[in-house]
Amino acid sequence: MRAFGTTIFAEMSALAVQTGSINLGQGFPDTDGPAAMLDRAVQAIAAGANQYPPGPGVLELRQAVSDHRAGHYDLSYDPAGEVLVTVGATEAIAATVMALCEPGDEVIAFEPYYDSYAASIALAQARLVAVTLRPVEGRFTFDPDELRAAVTPRTRLILVNSPHNPTGTVFTRAELTVIADLCQEHGLTAVTDEVYEHLTFDGVEHIPLATLPGMRERTVMISSAGKTFSVTGWKTGWVCAPPALVTAVQTVKQFLTFTAAAPWQLAVAYGLRREMEWVSALRAGLQDKRDRLMEGLAAAGFDVLKPSGTYFVQTDIRPLGFTDGLELTRRLPELAGVVAIPTQVFYDHAERGRHFVRFAFCKKDEVIDEAVTRLKRLSS
């Protein structure tokens, strides 16, 4: 792990605190989730749900997850053996990769990728093989031939993140079909990071890979309450997969954290059953915030790519005369009093993302407006 050091999120968030800058870097909301769900957590603590819950997770949450999958995606998962509660999606990803990979195995991921992927693969002593997402007609996508060429006899997993952080792309059915066909042709397991599943815009549909023919039995489906309900600090996620895969993941997970906090699990179970209308309103509000930030960034001189999901907008900094996103983001607090994330740190091929910078729009309108006002200094 010596190669990894401090995450870019920790570095930039600390920079925001040190300089008093507006933090449009790390993807966490500055408002809380549904009040009734928060109250359920308080009630659970007061009622004594403060000791170890069962290792697989509180049955109430596992049942709620199962019902949610059935209701939203027509996917059937048995809460007794096909649902596992984890300490956020990050733990779910790490435990899955470590459970399913042997040293020397290869894991395909689409770059730019969430930084924990590379660390999890390193912990498993496996090798990350990056397939690059590139802008085509305003959205990031992959070349099917490049993906096919990435598969070797050592390939074990394909890690699929859609809606995708950090590009904001949502894979289409045609793109997912390419991935599904490869998995079935080569006997691969898919690990799907779907934490932004409910945060898509402009009517774009999120399609779980597990819903495609032949994929439920070879997919580890990972989700989380953090983004769905604006409670990122609760770190409550889950895995849905066939029993053998869930057993493998739980075997690793039990020695990472053993179990996840009981009060949050009970509150999230309530949220999945009773607060999905709140989530719909959140999605609509985020779409407005996306448009607000995009308009402001364009006015400030950035070339802006329109995301179909997540919390994030990708920008090309070259129209402003900059070519290195890492250098710019480290200077941005001084230049404009704003913190952002350099996208190049999420690439194996850093040169392909050097000119992109990511901004988060999961913030109050007044925060977005003030950040935009400050960023206009770059072109003045």
Side-chain angles (χ1 to χ4, degrees), residues 1 19 21 58 150 261 322:
M1 296 298 291
T19 61
S21 297
V58 172
F322 300 100

Side-chain angles (χ1 to χ4, degrees), residues 1 12 33-34 109 131 139 163 168 175 199 233 269 285 313 322 345 366:
M1 296 298 291
M12 292 301 168
V131 172
R139 67 181 291 273
E175 290 167 335
L199 305 182
V313 170
F322 300 100
V345 301
E366 56 268 30

Side-chain angles (χ1 to χ4, degrees), residues 6-61:
T6 303
T7 72
I8 192 67
F9 303 109
E11 178 185 346
M12 292 301 168
S13 289
L15 189 59
V17 172
Q18 292 165 10
T19 61
S21 297
I22 294 174
N23 189 351
L24 297 188
Q26 194 164 2
F28 58 85
D30 54 7
T31 54
D32 282 333
M37 191 182 82
L38 304 182
D39 288 342
R40 282 298 188 281
V42 174
Q43 292 166 18
I45 292 170
N50 302 304
Q51 308 308 323
Y52 294 128
V58 172
L59 180 58
E60 187 173 340
L61 176 54

Side-chain angles (χ1 to χ4, degrees), residues 297-303 315-323 328 332 359 375-380:
L297 290 170
F302 292 91
D303 185 9
T315 62
D316 189 328
I317 62 175
R318 289 175 295 185
L320 286 164
F322 300 100
T323 58
L328 174 61
L332 207 53
F359 292 89
L375 288 166
K376 287 179 180 177
R377 301 173 193 168
L378 296 174
S379 55
S380 61

Side-chain angles (χ1 to χ4, degrees), residues 58-232:
V58 172
L59 180 58
E60 187 173 340
L61 176 54
R62 286 183 279 134
Q63 185 65 62
V65 168
S66 175
D67 293 344
H68 175 274
R69 290 292 177 255
H72 283 268
Y73 306 123
D74 197 27
L75 286 170
S76 175
Y77 290 99
D78 182 356
E82 295 187 312
V83 180
L84 171 67
V85 179
T86 60
V87 182
T90 300
E91 185 196 37
I93 293 162
T96 299
V97 171
M98 286 190 280
L100 301 182
C101 287
E102 300 291 343
D105 283 349
E106 294 176 351
V107 179
I108 294 173
F110 296 94
E111 67 173 358
Y113 49 75
Y114 181 55
D115 63 348
S116 84
Y117 296 174
S120 297
I121 293 165
L123 286 167
Q125 300 181 61
R127 175 175 173 264
L128 190 155
V129 177
V131 172
T132 306
L133 299 176
R134 297 179 177 87
V136 177
E137 297 180 352
R139 67 181 291 273
F140 285 83
T141 187
F142 61 89
D143 180 339
D145 290 334
E146 187 177 341
L147 176 60
R148 294 186 189 101
V151 178
T152 77
R154 298 293 306 182
T155 306
R156 183 74 173 88
L157 307 176
I158 299 182
L159 223 173
V160 181
N161 175 209
S162 180
H164 183 265
N165 173 17
T167 68
T169 203
V170 178
F171 286 160
T172 64
R173 186 173 296 277
E175 290 167 335
L176 293 169
T177 297
V178 171
I179 298 169
D181 289 348
L182 273 176
C183 287
Q184 292 175 77
E185 179 183 350
H186 296 279
L188 309 178
T189 300
V191 181
T192 60
D193 176 354
E194 303 179 39
V195 298
Y196 293 99
E197 61 189 305
H198 294 295
L199 305 182
T200 62
F201 313 125
D202 306 315
V204 172
E205 179 187 13
H206 167 63
I207 304 170
L209 185 62
T211 63
L212 271 63
M215 288 307 295
R216 183 199 179 280
E217 58 265 36
R218 60 173 65 254
T219 299
V220 178
M221 188 181 191
I222 295 171
S223 293
S224 169
K227 304 303 192 299
T228 298
F229 295 110
S230 295
V231 287
T232 59

